[in-house]
């Protein structure tokens, strides 16, 4: 059976490899000139590895996902830490922990019980039983001052939404810590980076006699005629000609620059809490495996995807879930088609971490193979 896979990111790569290993002949196309989707990385002129589409930190508790990927790469351990740069110029740990609170309020809270009691006094009662919007959720958990300092300007520039308009699910992903834990993903037992980068990992996944790849080739409907089945990771609304309306995405412009004047922070990633145009900076030379011969960093400027060459990064989740309702209309159309399945972040209009997209893809492709045998 000949199968077309649209998109050479994680979703497309997993489908391709498992299909190929099961005797299917797979053609992969991607409109970009490189494989690896948004995980694509490269060495800059000084030899520092840069992730072209923003820092990608692999973290998971899913051993099966990790074992599957480990067939194609060695790993290096890396525990990610982030700092926030306050409008005053001071740096604090992020997500908010006890040190952050002590620093912002000039306190000396010494244990978890004191922090919990402090935040209880700071916070306001929820306006609804289970808050659907980010403002209500945050005010109810950390109070107005911390909400307005760490989340309000950041949300506006990242999402172009007020906290009242943003789904609480977006900020629920960011825990509040009562202790001094400052790792970004403390509950994930696996925290690593691929030893030779993501692009090399993808090269190994795609290395199979039953897989052919064509890059720089955007999908066209006519292509479907040559294949028995299509797995498609392009934006689902674009596939259907935006017939129900466009699904919005936020995008990011990355500005690569010299990091020599970055102040006293030692974190790989620094988030800006101010109301300027930029959200964060990544110091690539601080990631493992890099010799700090050059101090290159990238600074992120969020924007609408239409202002960045239709580069779709983050599906927008509003408190009223209106875009999830719009997505469901496209999904219903897709379900009527017998020979196509939409996969990955833009095919299913959801933010997925790498381990989640690998897991979903492994489950999906195995289901497909057993259904056609
Ligand atoms: C800024 C940023 C930072 C992130 N950081 C992390 C992180 O630290 N940890 C983590 O676990 N996850 C992170 N992620 C999530 C991670 O990028 C995704 O989980 C992963 O890339 C999803 O894979 P995918 O295959 O669904 O999509 P993609 O990687 O986007 O791949 C889709 C591919 O399809 C191609 N395509 C689209 N339309 C067409 C078309 N019409 N014709 C042909 N080709 C097409 C695209 O060019 C692209 O290469 C981050 C995401 C972003 C945006």
């Amino acid at each position: 059976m000949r199968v077309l896979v649209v998109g050479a990111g994680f979703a497309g790569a997993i489908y391709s490899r498992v299909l190929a290993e099961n005797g299917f002949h797979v053609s992969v196309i991607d409109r970009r000139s490189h494989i690896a989707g948004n995980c694509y990385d490269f060495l800059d002129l000084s030899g520092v590895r840069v992730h072209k589409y923003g820092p990608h930190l692999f973290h998971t508790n899913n051993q099966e996902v990790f074992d599957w990927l480990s067939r194609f790469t060695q790993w290096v351990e890396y525990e990610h830490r982030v700092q926030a740069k306050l409008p005053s110029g001071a740096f604090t740990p992020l997500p908010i922990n006890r040190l952050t609170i002590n620093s912002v309020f000039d306190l000396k809270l010494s244990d978890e019980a004191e922090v919990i009691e402090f935040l209880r006094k700071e916070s306001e009662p929820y306006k609804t039983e289970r808050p659907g919007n980010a403002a209500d959720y945050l005010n109810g958990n950390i109070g107005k001052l911390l909400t307005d300092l760490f989340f309000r300007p950041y949300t506006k520039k990242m999402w172009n939404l007020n906290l009242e308009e943003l789904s609480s699910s977006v900020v629920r992903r960011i825990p509040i810590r009562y202790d001094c834990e400052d790792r970004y993903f403390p509950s994930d037992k696996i925290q690593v980076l691929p030893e030779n980068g993501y692009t090399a990992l993808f090269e190994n996944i795609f290395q199979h006699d039953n897989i052919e790849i064509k890059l720089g080739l955007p999908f066209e409907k006519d292509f479907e005629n040559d294949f028995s089945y299509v797995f498609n990771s392009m934006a689902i609304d674009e596939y259907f000609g935006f017939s129900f309306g466009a699904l919005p995405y936020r995008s990011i412009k990355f500005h690569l620059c010299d990091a020599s004047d970055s102040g006293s922070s030692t974190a790989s990633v620094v988030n800006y809490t101010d109301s300027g145009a930029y959200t964060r900076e990544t110091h690539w030379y601080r990631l493992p495996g890099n010799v700090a011969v050059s101090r290159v960093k990238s600074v992120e400027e969020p924007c609408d995807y239409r202002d960045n060459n239709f580069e779709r990064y983050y599906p927008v989740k509003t408190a009223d879930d209106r875009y999830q309702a719009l997505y469901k209309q496209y999904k219903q159309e897709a379900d009527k088609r017998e020979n196509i399945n939409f996969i990955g972040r833009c095919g299913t209009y959801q933010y997925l971490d790498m381990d989640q997209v690998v897991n979903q893809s492994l489950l999906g492709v195995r289901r497909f193979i057993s259904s056609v045998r």
Side-chain angles (χ1 to χ4, degrees), residues 34-285:
H34 60 72
I35 58 169
N38 280 351
C39 305
Y40 174 73
D41 56 17
F42 62 96
L43 297 179
D44 83 340
L45 289 177
S46 64
V48 173
R49 188 176 305 287
V50 174
H51 302 173
K52 180 169 182 185
Y53 304 99
H56 276 70
L57 303 319
F58 192 87
H59 57 100
T60 191
N61 282 317
N62 190 323
Q63 189 66 41
E64 195 197 342
V65 162
F66 181 66
D67 290 345
W68 194 90
L69 291 174
S70 300
R71 292 170 53 202
F72 306 101
T73 186
Q74 303 287 315
W75 304 95
V76 285
E77 307 264 324
Y78 172 65
E79 293 188 318
H80 190 49
R81 287 177 171 80
V82 175
Q83 287 192 317
K85 185 176 184 185
L86 304 183
S88 65
F91 296 98
T92 64
L94 199 75
I96 294 169
N97 68 11
R98 191 163 85 225
L99 298 175
T100 317
I101 293 169
N102 280 341
S103 154
V104 169
F105 293 93
D106 197 17
L107 294 169
K108 290 199 171 60
L109 304 176
S110 58
D111 61 24
E112 297 191 19
E114 285 184 7
V115 177
I116 291 168
E117 179 57 15
F118 176 77
L119 289 179
R120 194 187 60 74
K121 286 189 188 142
E122 277 291 301
S123 57
E124 299 168 5
Y126 288 157
K127 294 202 171 90
T128 53
E129 201 179 321
R130 187 181 154 76
N133 79 58
D136 199 12
Y137 173 79
L138 289 168
N139 285 330
N141 281 280
I142 56 173
K144 196 168 172 337
L145 197 146
L146 289 172
T147 298
D148 289 351
L149 181 59
F150 286 94
F151 290 93
R152 193 167 286 283
Y154 195 92
T155 296
K156 187 66 187 169
K157 58 193 172 181
M158 178 66 215
W159 297 102
N160 196 27
L161 292 172
N162 295 317
L163 279 172
E164 288 71 13
E165 301 166 288
L166 184 73
S167 168
S168 65
S169 64
V170 177
V171 292
R172 280 173 199 269
R173 284 203 295 257
I174 306 159
I176 309 297
R177 308 236 166 77
Y178 308 125
D179 56 14
C180 295
E181 173 66 76
D182 68 346
R183 290 173 301 165
Y184 208 74
F185 310 111
S187 48
D188 283 331
K189 65 178 194 232
I190 299 167
Q191 300 184 45
V192 287
L193 291 173
E195 187 175 57
N196 296 317
Y198 287 98
T199 307
L201 162 61
F202 277 78
E203 278 165 5
N204 292 338
I205 296 176
F206 282 125
Q207 185 61 50
H208 193 286
D209 286 348
N210 286 352
I211 300 178
E212 62 156 11
I213 304 184
K214 289 186 184 144
L215 297 174
L217 185 61
F219 171 79
E220 288 178 30
K221 286 259 168 68
D222 288 353
F223 296 168
E224 292 179 350
N225 302 332
D226 297 331
F227 296 91
S228 311
Y229 206 92
V230 181
F231 291 101
N232 198 328
S233 62
M234 71 185 283
I236 192 168
D237 55 336
E238 187 184 354
Y239 177 89
F240 287 108
F242 306 102
S243 51
F244 300 112
L247 289 166
Y249 287 83
R250 292 298 279 172
S251 193
I252 293 177
K253 293 178 186 166
F254 296 96
H255 305 282
L256 269 185
C257 48
D258 180 63
S260 302
D261 61 345
S262 295
S264 60
S265 169
T266 53
S268 309
V269 171
V270 176
N271 282 26
Y272 308 144
T273 53
D274 67 6
S275 56
Y278 307 105
T279 43
R280 62 176 181 174
E281 62 186 34
T282 302
H283 295 254
W284 297 107
Y285 54 93

Side-chain angles (χ1 to χ4, degrees), residues 6-12 29-32 36-39 53-59 185 217-219 233-235 238 252 254 280 300 313-314 343-346 351-355 357:
V6 181
F10 257 128
I29 61 165
D30 200 299
R31 68 175 168 201
R32 287 175 173 160
N38 280 351
C39 305
Y53 304 99
H56 276 70
L57 303 319
F58 192 87
H59 57 100
F185 310 111
L217 185 61
F219 171 79
S233 62
M234 71 185 283
E238 187 184 354
I252 293 177
F254 296 96
R280 62 176 181 174
E300 301 188 14
Y313 294 165
Y314 298 103
I343 60 174
R345 190 176 45 89
C346 296
Y351 179 82
L352 295 167
D353 271 335
M354 293 181 279
D355 64 326
V357 87

